[in-house]
Amino acid sequence: MITNAEYYSLLTDVGQARIINAHALGKTVKLTTLKVGDGGEDGGKETSPQETDTHLVRVRWQGPINSIYQDEQNKNWLVSETVIPEQDGNFYITEFGLYDDEDNLIVVGRYPKTYKPRLDQGSGSSLYLKVIFELSNTKTVELKIDPAIVLASRQYVDRSILAHEQKADPHPQYVQKDIYNVEKKFTGTPGEIGSVSRCVLQGIIYQTTTFEDTSPPRSDGDFPTIDLKTEKNVYCHFVTPFNLNQHNHMFLFNVRGYSYGSTKEIYEAIVGYCYAIDKKLLSSNTRGNCSPALYVDKYGNIIFSLFFASIYYTTIVIDSLLVGNGRTIYRGEMKAVLSLQDKIDYPRN
């Protein structure tokens, strides 16, 4: 079992039995498919996988495993890699499973709640999933490359991966790795503490009222278009992915931009710890030029707000720094709400 306090992978009872039997008979277990699920809720529900599991709570996507290889640092670890393409998405991921060629759940795990957007939503990109699991005899597991014909040995997989990676463009159907990293706007290594997810929310509010009966309210990017009947004294509320009833995560958001109407540079910082164990927001703080405020709504959502004397032509971008026991945040997970009230309640679907 590969595990930490929250997210882990483990061999199921079925997986252990099949691997022991295969080893005794001099055969192999042939892994073919990765499945991911949302825990049974559209908004993503955290799960607690057990060895007795035989299926995911609810499958939202499945696809072929791209590669399996032995970890260089720990010879008892196998690493599985799969890519969910950009055209697939519009779901959350909280659970995953590796299946063999007979559709048996061999490895099951808990995954950090992650939203996978779809290309036609305007922010689609390929999602790379890496699963690590532990075996006492790694030679018992193989990757079945062609479910109908070819079985690849470990040596063949190693040689194929090496030749594959040396190609200038090994996956023409996917965004190249360097381009992918630029497009996702990561600073540092994604998933590592200290890395920055850039532009998790961005856009512009042109106006929130109609001017001279000819220019209607208009926003772009991740901001909704709304008619507040005024552009004065408007609050921008940003609903984070964190909820006091569900999550234990530290967070740090940096907000930058320019409000033409308020004649202000936007340069804000918001930090805190969503602590579901005690249902408290701990060690929170804000600073900035636009009266930043951090609060919890009646549904337990962690929300922060900025105030603008005039919202006219206000451009905003938000970055997220991975701190402490936090997690990586992706574009599409945060929501923006424009209001004349200093606090809102945000019911999630």
Side-chain angles (χ1 to χ4, degrees):
M1 179 171 66
I2 308 299
T3 180
N4 60 30
E6 292 193 68
Y7 308 111
Y8 54 86
S9 65
L10 51 84
L11 280 172
T12 65
D13 290 343
V14 171
Q16 294 181 52
R18 290 183 67 81
I19 288 173
I20 291 172
N21 184 63
H23 183 60
L25 298 176
K27 298 182 179 181
T28 57
V29 175
K30 303 170 182 68
L31 296 181
T32 60
T33 306
L34 172 82
K35 299 182 183 181
V36 297
D38 59 11
E41 294 184 3
D42 292 342
K45 182 180 180 181
E46 299 279 273
T47 62
S48 298
Q50 306 291 327
E51 287 91 344
T52 54
D53 290 350
T54 57
H55 56 81
L56 300 185
V57 177
R58 182 168 71 172
V59 175
R60 296 306 305 269
W61 182 89
Q62 66 181 65
I65 299 171
N66 293 90
S67 68
I68 294 177
Y69 58 91
Q70 194 174 41
D71 185 87
E72 293 182 359
Q73 303 300 320
N74 190 323
K75 299 305 181 182
N76 288 332
W77 291 3
L78 285 182
V79 182
S80 150
E81 297 178 335
T82 304
V83 175
I84 302 180
E86 58 188 5
Q87 66 267 22
D88 296 340
N90 193 26
F91 53 77
Y92 279 88
I93 300 173
T94 60
E95 54 179 336
F96 64 87
L98 299 179
Y99 288 74
D100 66 9
D101 55 348
E102 297 181 13
D103 202 37
N104 294 298
L105 179 61
I106 305 300
V107 177
V108 68
R110 180 176 181 175
Y111 195 81
K113 183 177 176 182
T114 301
Y115 180 73
K116 171 62 174 74
R118 195 173 57 221
L119 182 61
D120 60 12
Q121 293 176 297
S123 62
S125 62
S126 304
L127 179 61
Y128 165 83
L129 289 95
K130 180 177 181 181
V131 175
I132 302 174
F133 56 101
E134 186 173 8
L135 294 175
S136 59
N137 188 341
T138 57
K139 294 181 180 179
T140 308
V141 173
E142 292 186 22
L143 168 63
K144 191 172 180 181
I145 292 180
D146 185 332
I149 303 172
V150 181
L151 290 179
S153 68
R154 277 299 316 138
Q155 292 78 12
Y156 175 81
V157 171
D158 291 339
R159 292 194 300 269
S160 298
I161 291 175
L162 179 62
H164 178 75
E165 291 178 341
Q166 289 175 341
K167 294 180 181 179
D169 186 11
H171 286 287
Q173 74 272 39
Y174 302 129
V175 178
Q176 293 184 41
K177 183 177 180 180
D178 291 342
I179 298 175
Y180 169 81
N181 286 335
V182 171
E183 289 185 344
K184 289 301 292 182
K185 295 185 174 66
F186 275 106
T187 299
T189 302
E192 289 189 0
I193 297 298
S195 61
V196 177
S197 302
R198 301 179 59 198
C199 305
V200 296
L201 185 145
Q202 66 182 69
I204 181 171
I205 306 103
Y206 293 103
Q207 57 195 61
T208 54
T209 189
T210 299
F211 289 133
E212 299 177 354
D213 297 327
T214 60
S215 180
R218 185 163 66 100
S219 297
D220 204 352
D222 297 322
F223 287 97
T225 295
I226 184 173
D227 189 354
L228 297 176
K229 308 301 182 184
T230 180
E231 63 182 27
K232 305 296 185 182
N233 300 325
V234 175
Y235 290 87
C236 283
H237 299 273
F238 301 98
V239 185
T240 75
F242 306 121
N243 187 287
L244 275 187
N245 299 314
Q246 304 176 38
H247 306 123
N248 295 288
H249 291 300
M250 299 175 188
F251 55 84
L252 189 159
F253 296 102
N254 286 314
V255 188
R256 295 171 291 119
Y258 171 50
S259 177
Y260 170 81
S262 296
T263 320
K264 277 191 176 183
E265 174 193 14
I266 302 170
Y267 199 79
E268 324 294 310
I270 295 91
V271 298
Y273 184 8
C274 176
Y275 194 58
I277 295 175
D278 288 341
K279 289 185 168 46
K280 291 182 180 180
L281 178 58
L282 303 178
S283 298
S284 63
N285 196 13
T286 63
R287 64 170 176 81
N289 303 325
C290 301
S291 303
L294 182 63
Y295 64 95
V296 181
D297 74 0
K298 69 179 184 180
Y299 301 104
N301 297 306
I302 306 296
I303 303 175
F304 66 89
S305 67
L306 303 180
F307 173 76
F308 297 96
S310 172
I311 200 71
Y312 186 64
Y313 271 74
T314 294
T315 302
I316 291 176
V317 61
I318 299 178
D319 299 338
S320 173
L321 176 66
L322 182 55
V323 296
N325 68 344
R327 70 168 180 83
T328 300
I329 297 177
Y330 296 90
R331 181 84 179 269
E333 290 192 82
M334 295 187 64
K335 303 300 179 183
V337 178
L338 303 177
S339 173
L340 299 180
Q341 305 300 317
D342 62 350
K343 292 184 180 180
I344 63 166
D345 292 309
Y346 189 83
R348 297 182 188 268
N349 295 330

